[in-house]
């Protein structure tokens, strides 16, 4: 029970602040996600490299947890810095992630009926990434708009949920209201359309200036 009380106290203390930051970040991504592509690509490279490095250092190299964390941050930072320069092919990465997500949803549904082999599941996810990347190769703007707006909607919904949990407490908190799904869908659709409108407007202004 001690860890549960600590968790409740932590949510009550940090929930409002973390939720507010997620809301601001979510709104920014929803409206201007395509302009924040370097940050998104950098984060996409930073997280897996940092986590993998920290786990390898601690589990296989017997390095202390603190030093493993610093090693993960260092390697992840380098990977993120290098990855943020690959914005030209960002839509391919985003498309691959969307393909993997679609396959993961199908695998989760299939798991309810048949037992899946972990190797087959991993290969299926890789195939989903390849298919998603291939089909979005020529849809640079559309993929970046949808990816940025979708991630913005996720952050916005998460921020509202976390902030509400921190302010109201976990006792009477109910996350199964469907509100997050509505926010996510509205942000992904509305944000993508808004970013497309802004891109067309900027292109028209550039033509008039010329």
């Amino acid at each position: 029970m001690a860890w549960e009380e600590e968790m409740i106290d932590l949510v009550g203390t940090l929930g409002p602040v973390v939720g507010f930051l997620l809301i601001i970040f979510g709104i920014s991504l929803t409206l201007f996600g395509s302009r924040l592509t370097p940050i998104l690509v950098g984060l996409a490279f930073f997280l897996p490299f940092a986590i993998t490095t920290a786990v390898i250092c601690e589990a296989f190299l017997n390095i202390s947890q603190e030093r493993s964390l610093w090693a993960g941050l260092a390697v992840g930072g380098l990977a993120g810095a290098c990855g943020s320069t690959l914005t030209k092919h960002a839509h391919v990465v985003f498309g691959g992630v969307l393909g993997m997500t679609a396959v993961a949803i199908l695998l989760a549904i299939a798991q309810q009926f048949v037992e899946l082999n972990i190797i087959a599941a991993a290969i299926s996810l890789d195939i989903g990434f390849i298919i998603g990347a291939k089909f979005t190769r020529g849809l640079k703007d559309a993929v970046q708009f949808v990816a940025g707006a979708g991630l913005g909607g996720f952050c916005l919904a998460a921020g509202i949920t976390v902030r509400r949990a921190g302010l109201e407490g976990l006792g009477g908190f109910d996350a199964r209201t469907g509100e997050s799904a509505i926010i996510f869908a509205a942000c992904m659709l509305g944000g993508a359309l808004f970013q497309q409108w802004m891109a067309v407007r900027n292109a028209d202004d550039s033509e008039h200036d010329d």
Side-chain angles (χ1 to χ4, degrees), residues 1 11 26 30-31 37 39 67 71 75 80 101-102 107 109 158 179 202:
M1 293 297 294
V11 171
T30 300
L31 299 179
T37 299
I39 298 177
R67 291 185 178 180
V75 174
T101 303
L107 290 176
I109 297 175
E179 180 182 83
N202 292 335

Side-chain angles (χ1 to χ4, degrees), residues 167-186:
L167 294 176
E168 299 178 358
L170 297 178
F173 177 73
D174 184 13
R176 297 172 297 179
T177 61
E179 180 182 83
S180 297
I182 296 175
I183 294 174
F184 175 78

Side-chain angles (χ1 to χ4, degrees), residues 27-96:
I27 294 175
S28 301
L29 287 176
T30 300
L31 299 179
F32 310 105
S34 59
R35 299 186 180 183
L36 302 176
T37 299
I39 298 177
L40 297 179
V41 177
L43 287 174
F45 278 87
F46 170 80
L47 291 176
F49 276 91
I51 294 173
T52 302
T53 301
V55 171
I56 291 176
C57 289
E58 184 176 0
F60 299 100
L61 301 180
N62 295 324
I63 300 177
S64 65
Q65 185 176 12
E66 183 178 357
R67 291 185 178 180
S68 298
L69 177 60
W70 282 110
L73 291 176
V75 174
L78 291 174
C82 295
S84 63
T85 62
L86 303 176
T87 56
K88 182 178 180 181
H89 303 288
H91 62 291
V92 177
V93 178
F94 295 153

Side-chain angles (χ1 to χ4, degrees), residues 106-170:
L106 294 177
L107 290 176
I109 297 175
Q111 182 68 30
Q112 305 297 324
F113 303 98
V114 295
E115 184 176 355
L116 299 177
N117 183 279
I118 188 171
I119 297 178
I123 294 176
S124 299
L125 290 175
D126 292 337
I127 294 175
F129 183 92
I130 295 173
I131 294 176
K134 181 178 180 180
F135 278 93
T136 57
R137 186 180 304 172
L139 302 174
K140 180 178 180 180
D141 292 336
V143 172
Q144 290 186 357
F145 295 157
V146 173
L151 182 58
F154 177 81
C155 291
L156 180 59
I160 293 175
T161 301
V162 171
R163 181 172 174 80
R164 180 179 299 168
L167 294 176
E168 299 178 358
L170 297 178

